[in-house]
Amino acid sequence: MNPQEIEKKSFEIITEIMQKEYPDIKIPQEQQSIVKRVIHTTADFEYLHTLCFCNDAVKRGKQALKKGISIVTDTQMVKSGINKKAVECLGSEVYCFMSDEYVAEQSKKQNTTRAFASMDKAAQMQKELIFAIGNAPTALIRLHELIQQNKIIPPALIIAVPVGFVNVVQSKELILSLDVPCIVAKGRKGGSNVAAAICNALLYEIIPNVL
């Protein structure tokens, strides 16, 4: 089997398991491709319960991508995992500022994480962005502060799926408290692979033949 056939079969199996083992969970049509791709990436059906979509997140996320709005991530792994061909087709870009000199300097100066400082770097771009955060809750905490203080243009979409134990649950709840489109993996689970999977699911909805 080639990779496309394997992926197709995987999604068929996921759909069958959802129908047989989770018949009471009704996922809205526009969310299904995202939920299934996250399960495909993680083999974890708990995301049926924990993925949360707010403020027309799917619709507005796809609208933003169609307009060529760029994506800011908190790890090189997320950046590497997002389909570059699809991003280029839409005239978008993917940024990760974790290795940026300004971010390193500000992080040291302010005694914060680089992920925290990287949100300040993103704010300096002075344009609408999509944020895909898969690792660092401190990025979400700073993003929440910047939005609350009107120091950043309101994001087109926030994908908030960091994984871990320290401030992870709390940082996701902060994003859910905002009046912005967001896709959040409630609880401790998530990761860079999940953030990339959500981005790709949105991209493939727009450009299905780019796989």
Side-chain angles (χ1 to χ4, degrees), residues 120-129 150-154:
D120 291 317
K121 177 74 175 182
Q124 292 175 3
M125 297 174 75
Q126 286 295 302
K127 63 180 182 179
E128 191 177 22
L129 295 164
N150 295 314
K151 292 182 178 179
I152 191 171
I153 294 173

Side-chain angles (χ1 to χ4, degrees), residues 58-69:
V58 176
K59 178 182 176 181
R60 292 170 71 178
K62 289 196 292 187
Q63 287 174 342
L65 289 168
K66 287 177 183 177
K67 290 193 295 184
I69 288 176

